């Protein structure tokens, strides 16, 4: 089932399965801004990442003497148990609550909600997590939206670039086998706020940034006026990714990161893990802004 809302600027649609944003369309021009999830290339639009981001070493984490097979990127994406909770003229809310099925792979009594809210030419993506346990709860959280690139038929991928809010000096952390984060880095942004796209930029998988000063980044073209900006104030990590030679780019705000190659798999000491006290609630949001 797919749910849609619209205002004077944008129309968005969200698949109930996985609560996945699957359409961003201009209400004025009809222009589509999201990747079409072509299964021959990459069959997703914007997976929701919870309670893990990226690869888990050896496929499981250790917690309180047990081993739990938390899936890569968590279990919200592609999950048919996610349900639409509320729809108004300007927002859609979806949720998933713990069950015997989730407790077998993730030992916390959680409640997860995600709301997509239209605010002018912006989409607010708000995440709310509640811990129903008395003890602390551990999780990571992130977004994975894929934006169409190029947007126009008379353009090519190389016409596009990412413009960061501030001049940056940051390197990507190189991924090792099985998608684990290694100790080596490669310079990407050297005293610049511009990252030019090309079909081979992601030949070695995602670009992973840990130390950006910028809290927003814009997808722009040298040949057209449309701009897609992702604001990620609440998210300290940022991933940039696409399939090589694919016509999209993912801008991924993360609270957390894939396991390190030398991880001891202890969930408590996982890099970037969020620790939520018993009975507490957590909220984080990022924004997608579309300008024409």
């Amino acid at each position: 089932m797919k749910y849609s809302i619209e205002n004077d600027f944008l129309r968005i649609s969200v698949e109930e399965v996985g609560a996945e944003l699957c359409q961003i369309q201009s209400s004025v021009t009809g222009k589509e801004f999201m990747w079409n999830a072509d299964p021959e290339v990459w069959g997703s639009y914007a997976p929701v990442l919870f309670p893990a981001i990226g690869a888990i070493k050896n496929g499981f984490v250790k917690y309180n003497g047990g081993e739990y097979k938390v899936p890569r990127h968590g279990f919200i994406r592609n999950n048919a148990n996610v349900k639409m909770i509320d729809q108004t003229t300007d927002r859609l809310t979806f949720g998933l609550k713990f069950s015997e099925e989730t407790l077998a792979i993730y030992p916390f009594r959680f409640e997860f909600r995600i709301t997509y809210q239209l605010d002018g030419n912006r989409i607010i993506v708000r995440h709310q997590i509640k811990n129903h346990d008395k003890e602390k709860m551990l999780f990571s959280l992130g977004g994975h939206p894929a934006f169409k690139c190029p947007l126009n038929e008379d353009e090519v991928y190389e016409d596009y670039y990412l413009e960061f809010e501030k001049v940056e000096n940051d390197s990507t952390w190189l991924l090792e086998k099985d998608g684990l984060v290694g100790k080596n880095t490669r310079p990407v942004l050297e005293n610049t706020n511009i990252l030019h796209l090309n079909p081979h930029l992601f030949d070695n998988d995602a670009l992973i940034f840990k130390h950006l000063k910028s809290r927003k980044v814009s997808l722009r073209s040298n040949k057209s006026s449309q701009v897609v900006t992702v604001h990620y104030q609440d998210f300290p990590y940022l991933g940039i990714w696409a399939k090589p030679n694919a016509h999209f780019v993912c801008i991924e705000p993360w609270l957390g990161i894939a396991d390190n190659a030398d991880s001891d798999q202890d969930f408590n000491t996982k890099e970037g893990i969020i620790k939520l006290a018993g009975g507490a609630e957590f909220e984080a949001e990022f924004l997608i802004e579309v300008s024409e």
Side-chain angles (χ1 to χ4, degrees), residues 10-141:
L10 297 172
R11 172 185 172 86
I12 65 169
S13 298
V14 182
E15 293 277 4
E16 186 171 38
V17 172
E20 189 169 357
L21 181 66
C22 61
Q23 181 185 43
I24 303 175
Q25 182 183 46
S26 169
S27 298
V28 179
T29 64
K31 177 69 68 179
E32 297 278 0
F33 289 90
M34 289 212 75
W35 164 244
N36 65 4
D38 180 353
E40 296 297 317
V41 181
W42 186 62
S44 294
Y45 303 95
V48 178
L49 313 183
F50 173 88
I53 291 169
I56 300 293
K57 186 175 180 179
N58 297 325
F60 66 90
V61 298
K62 300 175 182 178
Y63 182 74
N64 279 0
E67 296 181 354
Y68 297 91
K69 295 182 178 180
V70 180
R72 181 186 181 95
H73 283 328
F75 49 67
I76 297 294
R77 69 169 185 167
N78 301 325
N79 192 329
N81 293 319
V82 175
K83 299 301 179 186
M84 205 276 285
I85 295 172
D86 188 45
Q87 178 174 3
T88 68
T89 56
D90 70 340
R91 68 191 69 188
L92 296 164
T93 299
F94 301 81
L96 181 71
K97 197 172 181 179
F98 74 92
S99 64
E100 291 303 316
E101 182 180 354
T102 66
L103 288 170
I105 60 173
Y106 176 67
F108 302 103
R109 290 172 168 81
F110 71 92
E111 184 173 355
F112 177 90
R113 292 192 177 193
I114 184 169
T115 298
Y116 298 93
Q117 179 181 352
L118 283 176
D119 179 20
N121 66 332
R122 293 181 170 192
I123 305 156
I124 302 170
V125 185
R126 182 177 300 111
H127 309 78
Q128 297 169 297
I129 294 101
K130 183 171 183 178
N131 182 1
H132 286 281
D133 272 324
K134 294 181 179 179
E135 304 299 324
K136 69 181 178 184
M137 170 183 163
L138 308 179
F139 65 93
S140 295
L141 174 70

